[in-house]
Amino acid sequence: MPNIKGTIVNIKDFLSQEAVVIKIAGSEVREFELEKGRTYVIPDFQREIRWTPENLIELMNDISRREKFLGNLILTKNGSKRYSIIDGQQRTSLLLMLIQYTIAKYSDELPTPPELCAIDNESFYQFAGFQKNNYSFDGLASDRIDEIRASDQYNQAERFQLLWKTIEDSEIIADAATARDFLLNLYRSEFNIILSEDDSTNYSIEYFLDVNLKGIKLDSEDIFKGYLFHLDPSDASRQLWVEMKRKALELNKLCKSPHSTSDCYPLMKLIEHFLYCCLYDIDKYKNVVFGEDFRLKQKVQIDRTVHYAGEHILKVIGNNRLVREILEKIIQFLLLAIDIVSSSSPTAKFTSFFVTDSPENKVDSIDISNFHAFLKMVLLDRKVAVSKAVIAKYAVNTLLNKENNSKDAYKILYSVQAYITLFSLFENKKGIEPVEQILKAVEWANEIQTAILNYSSKDTVAERKRNAEFKYGTNPDNEQQCYRSKTLAAVYNYFSFSRSKTSVKRGKATELHVFLSNEEQFSVEHFVANNSGKCKVKYKDSDEFFEYEYPTDIKKYAASIFNFIYIPRQVNSSLGNRPVAEKLEMLDEQSITCEYSRMVMRAAREAFSPLPEITKGAEEENKQTLDKFFAYDFKHQYIEFVSIILKEITNRMRV
């Protein structure tokens, strides 16, 4: 066991460069020491800065009132004057920022501050220069900025800048007097310092895991990274993690909607998917079942070792070479995904994944274009996380595996797309269970086809249809589902289903490409509920309009998967914010070439009644009349509308 000691230390002593020496009571024997001129190290297995402005404001408010006990802070000594922060680096970083801001703002009116300890952030190795410049790039030469940014492996600079601005914008440290009181309270606040004087990296990581598994809660990424570096503390492992993390950040930044804070493909979900895909290709791991926290859900024996529920998957694998291979595949996939979402059509890089040695297995360029369009829509869709595991399976078994490639193997992507579309339509489950059989199967394409046929079978369609009616008719998602809607329309228009495979109808690949790529001919129309959240309702016996704003819950229907049709842009622009009944009068069904859109229009004619009549000059009564209609009639009619569409879809795909 490492030599562990502890004591209570105030923040001023902890953060100053002066030595902190604790002696055994009644003697001169040193019990505990933090050396003079020390540096605190943030190890690269630590999480990046995660504090939010809300977290920081809460801390500032607490300190502004009185000194605080700020919890445990765990250190390991790893060389002369170097102390790794095993737990507490977020608090330490922010306390230093608060001191630095206060001194920078009111330096002439405050007592001389102590000389502060240096911070060595191993995942942001030019952090000291960024910190010294008050967490800003202002005034730095361009090459210096590039140097700092290149060293910021996890893109932490932006979060530090946000937190610094949070301090600036708050009124908690409003003047020199409040700054003086604030600093006094901060300096008097205390940590319980726990110090291990064993300088082994493995001990440090193991201690990090023990503390956080048995006490302070970390998220799955922190724990996974700790186990990874404990299993494989090599530079190669760290470099793979950094590259994977950076590419995941890049992908999600490219995909991120300005209206959403969620990632399109979260890193830990990606790792979970690739672990399943890669492990299930190895016989001895086929009975391994783990959850989103990467812990076993049930006991399993591998070789001669029994592993119990709750054990981390990386301890179960125990093979750093295999784990490295999986991380390398994830990086390859991320590079491909970045290429896809960054381009409007297939690049040379993307096309190279479909190159085969034999002419008879050459993939048509039109299919490659369709593959690109489908993959891009899946990657951009934030709400298909579970079914993205099937994309990972396709990547592992086909795109990243050149040995077994054939034209038919590549075209499995059409089956994958149909499955993902139907999964998002009918499934409510969020765990990996619905796709587990596909990920485990050697003949995984056959499992996909079985799942597709199951969605439309007579035995299950009634229940699934009822679930979907509730999902889309009474509980609409507030997230735009236009990607899912377009893939649903593509599957409805151009796919054929048989017992053995799902494919594009003969001779329809080019038409499918036009549908996916030509936004002039197939522009998106928010059909039933306008995206503006308003509709222009014509007064009775008048050509003038009352502009009505939907109730809040009705505005959500604008995002629903069944609210979209695909029509020529010129026609689309003429519809304005009219109610659906008026749009139907204006649209000529024969001029709409998208068969799915014509089907949705027929469903709308059957399900929706015209809005109630309103009278000019009675605006309050008009609003009440329309509110009553949308609160009751519209919702019931929308459920009927969804039911008709689902019946048409399942009839189309039934074998």
Side-chain angles (χ1 to χ4, degrees), residues 273-286:
H273 290 167
F274 269 79
L275 280 171
Y276 272 113
C277 293
C278 296
L279 291 181
Y280 287 160
D281 281 343
I282 304 170
D283 286 340
K284 68 179 180 180
Y285 294 117
K286 284 195 181 291

Side-chain angles (χ1 to χ4, degrees), residues 57 60 101 165-174:
I57 290 295
M60 292 174 67
Y101 173 83
K165 189 173 189 308
T166 299
I167 303 171
E168 284 184 323
D169 292 345
S170 76
E171 297 181 356
I172 298 171
I173 310 175

Side-chain angles (χ1 to χ4, degrees), residues 93 96-107 116 124 126-140 144 148 156-168:
S93 298
L96 277 168
M97 180 183 284
L98 285 167
I99 294 171
Q100 185 174 341
Y101 173 83
T102 308
I103 292 171
K105 180 79 171 176
Y106 303 106
S107 58
L116 299 175
F124 189 174
Q126 292 288 339
F127 175 74
F130 181 64
Q131 180 192 33
K132 185 177 180 180
N133 204 50
N134 290 338
Y135 306 89
S136 171
F137 295 112
D138 293 346
L140 297 179
R144 180 64 178 138
I148 292 173
Q156 299 178 79
E158 187 174 319
R159 179 60 62 93
F160 278 115
Q161 287 175 315
L162 173 63
L163 294 170
W164 181 272
K165 189 173 189 308
T166 299
I167 303 171
E168 284 184 323

Side-chain angles (χ1 to χ4, degrees), residues 455-496:
Y455 281 125
S456 62
S457 71
K458 291 181 180 179
D459 295 333
T460 61
V461 70
E463 180 183 352
R464 292 187 183 280
K465 195 160 81 66
R466 280 196 300 272
N467 289 340
E469 284 171 5
F470 174 80
K471 181 178 178 182
Y472 294 108
T474 63
N475 188 28
D477 196 323
N478 199 28
E479 177 119 3
Q480 288 285 352
Q481 297 181 15
C482 51
Y483 295 123
R484 265 158 288 166
S485 175
K486 191 149 194 179
T487 56
L488 176 60
V491 169
Y492 182 89
N493 289 343
Y494 303 106
F495 280 36
S496 64

Side-chain angles (χ1 to χ4, degrees), residues 262-279:
S262 61
D263 288 339
C264 284
Y265 209 162
L267 173 63
M268 300 315 294
K269 186 59 63 177
L270 182 67
I271 293 173
E272 179 191 347
H273 290 167
F274 269 79
L275 280 171
Y276 272 113
C277 293
C278 296
L279 291 181

Side-chain angles (χ1 to χ4, degrees), residues 478-575:
N478 199 28
E479 177 119 3
Q480 288 285 352
Q481 297 181 15
C482 51
Y483 295 123
R484 265 158 288 166
S485 175
K486 191 149 194 179
T487 56
L488 176 60
V491 169
Y492 182 89
N493 289 343
Y494 303 106
F495 280 36
S496 64
F497 301 88
S498 70
R499 296 203 175 276
S500 60
K501 68 176 183 178
T502 296
S503 58
V504 175
K505 294 175 183 176
R506 187 182 295 274
K508 293 292 184 179
T510 301
E511 288 184 29
L512 171 59
H513 171 63
V514 172
F515 176 73
L516 294 173
S517 61
N518 190 329
E519 295 185 1
E520 287 300 316
Q521 187 174 344
F522 298 103
S523 69
V524 179
E525 155 64 13
H526 290 75
F527 182 50
V528 175
N530 299 315
N531 197 37
S532 65
K534 301 175 182 179
C535 65
K536 296 174 69 173
V537 186
K538 190 176 286 188
Y539 292 116
K540 180 182 178 182
D541 301 326
S542 173
D543 291 331
E544 296 182 54
F545 295 93
F546 172 63
E547 187 168 71
Y548 171 73
E549 184 167 352
Y550 301 137
T552 300
D553 57 339
I554 300 301
K555 289 179 181 179
K556 295 180 181 180
Y557 285 85
S560 177
I561 191 171
F562 298 124
N563 189 50
F564 303 97
I565 60 173
Y566 301 92
I567 59 178
R569 193 177 299 280
Q570 187 174 0
V571 176
N572 196 341
S573 62
S574 68
L575 297 178

